[in-house]
Amino acid sequence: MMLREDLKHSLDVLLACSQFKDYCPNGLQVEGKKKIGLILSGVTASLALIEQAIEQKADALLVHHGLFWKNQSGVVTGWMKMRLSQLLAHDINLFAYHLPLDAHPTLGNNAQLAAALGLEQKGHFGEQNLGMIGTSATPLKSLDELVMRVGLALNKAPLVVMPLQFDLRADFKTPLGQAPVIAWCTGGAQGYFESAIQAGAQVFITGEISEPQAHLARECGVVYMACGHHATERGGVRALGEHLAQTHGLEHRFLDLDNPA
Ligand SMILES: [Zn+2]
């Protein structure tokens, strides 16, 4: 058991929340019961996840995507009423950590994706230094090998956009014979593509793609891999929940409710 306020404080400090400019509130988004023993974690505070928290009698939900975002109307109707009323009626705390959880150097989504894909981080790129850039920790023979590695690690085949002049089966080496430079940023980081190109990436790995990025990939000679927003962001919240279980003796269960996006 842990007091809600103590858990909130240790999470806020661990994830260095005050250092990020975000478009949602990070931390305790919905106040529930005072004492927390069982935490259920998942990527998004969807109604399905909230219902699971009720069924499993969780004291708190820990998510990457909470309920409140800057572009919302602010009214509590429809889906918002359903989700919020369920949380409040069952006195369940909702903790949400967005960019601070993407960026944490070991527990974060980007660090966890790197571990899952066997990538070695050498630096950062992009706004607020959220993106990571590096190489494969083990030699890559071809792009196929990387595509396969991603598919196996995330249990989902990525959408790959190839540059105009690129042989999928060709040896995947730069003219200098170095390992390919890979940049990655989980979730909806299609807007980070240009900074990844500027940072010297030859492959960009993220969750989503929008129309303009396909053209940029073709024209700029950088391979674009859209691996799923949900699929690339399962790692952080799970690692954070496990960390809480180990360090604070709380019970933690991660729930992967499938999302095709
Ligand atoms: Zn996300």
Side-chain angles (χ1 to χ4, degrees), residues 46-230:
S46 63
L47 185 61
L49 187 70
I50 292 168
E51 283 171 349
Q52 279 297 318
I54 296 166
E55 202 178 303
Q56 300 192 26
K57 299 191 173 10
D59 305 308
L61 259 181
L62 177 66
V63 298
H64 179 51
H65 303 135
L67 284 184
F68 308 109
W69 302 92
K70 255 185 194 160
N71 57 2
Q72 284 167 338
S73 67
V75 299
V76 183
T77 56
W79 63 270
M80 178 63 91
K81 182 198 166 189
M82 287 198 286
R83 295 189 198 180
L84 198 52
S85 61
Q86 289 298 313
L87 285 172
L88 293 170
H90 293 87
D91 217 11
I92 297 170
N93 292 283
L94 174 66
F95 290 94
Y97 292 92
H98 186 234
L99 296 184
L101 183 56
D102 285 322
H104 189 276
T106 56
L107 303 171
N109 281 322
N110 285 329
Q112 291 293 317
L113 183 68
L117 302 184
L119 305 176
E120 193 179 351
Q121 189 212 345
K122 304 235 163 107
H124 289 281
F125 75 94
E127 217 182 299
Q128 301 193 67
N129 271 331
L130 284 176
M132 290 184 172
I133 188 160
T135 55
S136 171
T138 52
L140 274 173
K141 284 196 200 74
S142 64
L143 183 63
D144 273 357
E145 192 184 324
L146 182 62
V147 172
M148 223 148 75
R149 211 193 273 181
V150 169
L152 283 173
L154 302 180
N155 201 20
K156 182 187 174 78
L159 184 158
V160 182
V161 182
M162 302 298 298
L164 289 176
Q165 318 264 321
F166 201 97
D167 179 358
L168 188 69
R169 311 225 169 244
D171 205 22
F172 195 20
K173 285 179 178 170
T174 68
L176 296 171
Q178 296 163 322
V181 179
I182 303 172
W184 64 97
C185 196
T186 63
Q190 54 270 65
Y192 278 58
F193 189 35
E194 282 192 79
S195 15
I197 296 169
Q198 277 156 22
Q202 292 165 291
V203 179
F204 180 61
I205 297 176
T206 185
E208 297 187 22
I209 184 166
S210 297
E211 197 269 355
Q213 285 89 42
H215 301 290
L216 287 180
R218 289 177 183 146
E219 293 164 20
C220 300
V222 178
V223 178
Y224 195 106
M225 294 175 65
C227 310
H229 191 135
H230 174 89

Side-chain angles (χ1 to χ4, degrees), residues 35-48:
K35 287 182 182 169
I36 294 168
L38 172 60
I39 297 178
L40 197 72
S41 70
V43 178
T44 299
S46 63
L47 185 61

